[in-house]
Amino acid sequence: MALDGHSKMNCAVLYGILVLTLLASPVLGDGGGIPRALLLDQNVPGISHEFESRVVRNLTDGGFQVDHADGLELSQKLSVRDCDVLILLDAKRFPVDAKEQLVKFLQAGGAVVFFGGPPLSEMISKQDGKWMSNADIRKARAGLTQGSKIAEIS
């Protein structure tokens, strides 16, 4: 039986909440306190705001304290001191400027829940107020006149 888009979203939310429930153990946080989730806000392109709202509602109903970070704030907010689990609703797209902080977070014992994927396969950066991947930058460069510049993401 094939699932429609709404059913797939319900399954994804249920799967993600199941994973988060398993993560909400005394190992996380301050030894049994309220589990803290940091959600990468999806003003980064690629995710439904309805899906994001349902995940937040389910997390809150499940006892999580939910904080948000946009792609520019993520590096400052991502630490085990401030959150237990990072929620990536569009795991494929991830801000390149937060890559090193993500590694530190995971090494310090933080957890990540990925929706979508493959995880971290498309690094993005904000260019002229717009989130862009390397593919987006290459397309933009193709339309530039000679001597114009756009940054490259590494």
Side-chain angles (χ1 to χ4, degrees):
M1 173 173 85
L3 296 175
D4 63 14
H6 187 70
S7 297
K8 287 179 184 177
M9 183 172 70
N10 286 337
C11 289
V13 170
L14 290 172
Y15 173 74
I17 300 307
L18 172 63
V19 170
L20 291 171
T21 301
L22 295 172
L23 289 171
S25 69
V27 173
L28 292 178
D30 56 3
I34 297 172
R36 302 158 303 166
L38 179 62
L39 182 86
L40 177 58
D41 280 334
Q42 295 302 318
N43 56 356
V44 173
I47 199 75
S48 155
H49 290 288
E50 179 186 352
F51 179 65
E52 181 176 348
S53 297
R54 291 184 74 167
V55 170
V56 170
R57 186 173 49 248
N58 281 295
L59 285 167
T60 304
D61 290 349
F64 279 81
Q65 174 185 327
V66 180
D67 192 12
H68 299 261
D70 66 24
L72 299 174
E73 299 170 322
L74 189 58
S75 290
Q76 291 86 33
K77 289 189 170 186
L78 187 58
S79 76
V80 292
R81 182 184 69 249
D82 299 322
C83 75
D84 303 305
V85 60
L86 173 64
I87 311 296
L88 298 176
L89 298 177
D90 181 12
K92 181 172 80 169
R93 298 175 69 89
F94 189 78
V96 69
D97 293 339
K99 186 169 56 172
E100 287 182 34
Q101 190 59 33
L102 175 62
V103 171
K104 291 177 186 176
F105 175 72
L106 292 170
Q107 289 172 337
V112 179
V113 174
F114 297 103
F115 288 92
L120 312 180
S121 63
E122 191 174 325
M123 293 292 159
I124 56 175
S125 178
K126 202 154 199 176
Q127 304 290 324
D128 295 326
K130 181 180 175 188
W131 288 103
M132 300 178 83
S133 66
N134 273 334
D136 298 330
I137 291 170
R138 281 191 294 279
K139 284 180 195 173
R141 278 187 181 158
L144 293 177
T145 59
Q146 188 171 352
S148 299
K149 293 186 178 186
I150 287 185
E152 184 77 27
I153 301 171
S154 57

